[in-house]
Amino acid sequence: MLSSQCFENPPNLSSTCGAGRVEELAGLKTYVTGPSDSKRAVLLIPDAFGYEAPKLRKLADKVASAGFLVVVPDFFYGDPVVNVNDPNFSVEAWLRKHSPDKGYEDAKPVIADLKSKGMSAIGVAGFCWGGMVLVKLAGTEDIQAAVILHPGRLTEDEIKAVKIPTAILGAENDHIFPADELKKLGEILSAKTELESYVKIFPGVNHGWSVRYKDDDESAVKSAEEAQEDMLNWLLKHVN
């Protein structure tokens, strides 16, 4: 479900990074940024490093600058992956505690809470672990659009169940979800003529690149910016 690539170039987590603030949403500590009077919201579901990753919060602020209220909940309850090389850390045990199914159950009240605050349209982007959560949400009509970035494992049945406009952005070099397999999921999506969708594979990048790029790698930064722009454009098109 997760591979070693999921933990490459780990972020230095910071509870104070970003231009936003931390509030409670549906019982979860949540990074919140953007205009509080907006009627359009975007939920970002993080990878295994959680909601205190600086590049993820930077992206949240970027999306907020387009007029969205953006929320990034702590789906791991203060228990993100911090050091995968710690001999006491077990990926399997962590995933049992923080399964995508659990993430899905936690995301539903977040969406309900946003709606109770007056949000008329909600889009969601999910990264790696978050992509596995998001594909489940995309099988409902509780949200208006989905962007799945370098996901963990998705099933054909999950893709067949998608009911909303969905974009999938993948890496050319991805051990957990090779590009050819993502393209096959794209074929399933494209057969659903009642909704818009696409799959885009970014050349020369690795799993996780959109939020874990190296700042000194000019090509990786450019590719991450392109993916982030694609994500934002999809949300602007469908979340209104």
Side-chain angles (χ1 to χ4, degrees):
M1 193 177 287
L2 298 181
S3 80
S4 60
Q5 281 188 318
C6 297
F7 309 112
E8 290 176 354
N9 196 31
N12 293 315
L13 302 182
S14 170
S15 62
T16 59
C17 64
R21 57 208 178 274
V22 174
E23 301 178 357
E24 189 169 292
L25 188 67
L28 298 177
K29 288 184 177 179
T30 301
Y31 179 73
V32 180
T33 183
S36 57
D37 59 349
S38 177
K39 299 301 181 185
R40 300 178 301 154
V42 169
L43 164 63
L44 300 185
I45 307 179
D47 61 17
F49 294 104
Y51 87 128
E52 293 182 344
K55 285 186 171 71
L56 182 62
R57 288 194 177 184
K58 181 180 178 181
L59 176 55
D61 293 337
K62 179 179 179 179
V63 175
S65 70
F68 294 105
L69 178 72
V70 183
V71 298
V72 191
D74 178 15
F75 286 109
F76 306 135
Y77 296 85
D79 182 39
V81 173
V82 176
N83 180 11
V84 73
N85 296 315
D86 183 337
N88 295 316
F89 175 76
S90 164
V91 174
E92 292 76 16
W94 186 88
L95 271 174
R96 284 194 297 272
K97 186 177 180 182
H98 305 295
S99 70
D101 286 334
K102 176 69 163 58
Y104 170 60
E105 292 302 323
D106 284 341
K108 288 191 287 187
V110 169
I111 292 165
D113 203 341
L114 288 170
K115 290 181 177 180
S116 75
K117 297 179 186 303
M119 298 300 149
S120 59
I122 301 170
V124 185
F127 307 81
C128 189
W129 180 91
M132 295 189 291
V133 174
L134 176 50
V135 74
K136 301 176 189 299
L137 288 173
T140 74
E141 294 179 330
D142 294 333
I143 59 176
Q144 279 61 57
V147 185
I148 298 172
L149 300 97
H150 40 82
R153 296 302 302 182
L154 313 178
T155 69
E156 289 190 5
D157 285 344
E158 287 173 328
I159 294 297
K160 289 175 181 176
V162 166
K163 295 180 179 178
I164 59 169
T166 298
I168 300 178
L169 308 182
E172 180 182 31
N173 306 317
D174 196 321
H175 299 161
I176 193 167
F177 222 132
D180 287 345
E181 293 185 33
L182 273 184
K183 290 176 183 176
K184 289 178 183 176
L185 297 187
E187 292 171 4
I188 296 172
L189 276 176
S190 64
K192 300 169 76 71
T193 55
E194 71 276 14
L195 57 85
E196 284 191 66
S197 66
Y198 76 92
V199 170
K200 180 176 178 179
I201 305 300
F202 286 74
V205 296
N206 297 333
H207 177 91
W209 92 98
S210 74
V211 286
R212 294 206 310 278
Y213 54 88
K214 293 182 178 179
D215 293 317
D216 58 357
D217 185 335
E218 184 177 340
S219 176
V221 170
K222 184 177 179 180
S223 186
E225 289 174 346
E226 181 182 344
Q228 293 175 6
E229 198 67 24
D230 288 346
M231 182 195 84
L232 180 56
N233 287 338
W234 190 257
L235 295 170
L236 285 168
K237 181 176 183 179
H238 294 287
V239 183
N240 44 50

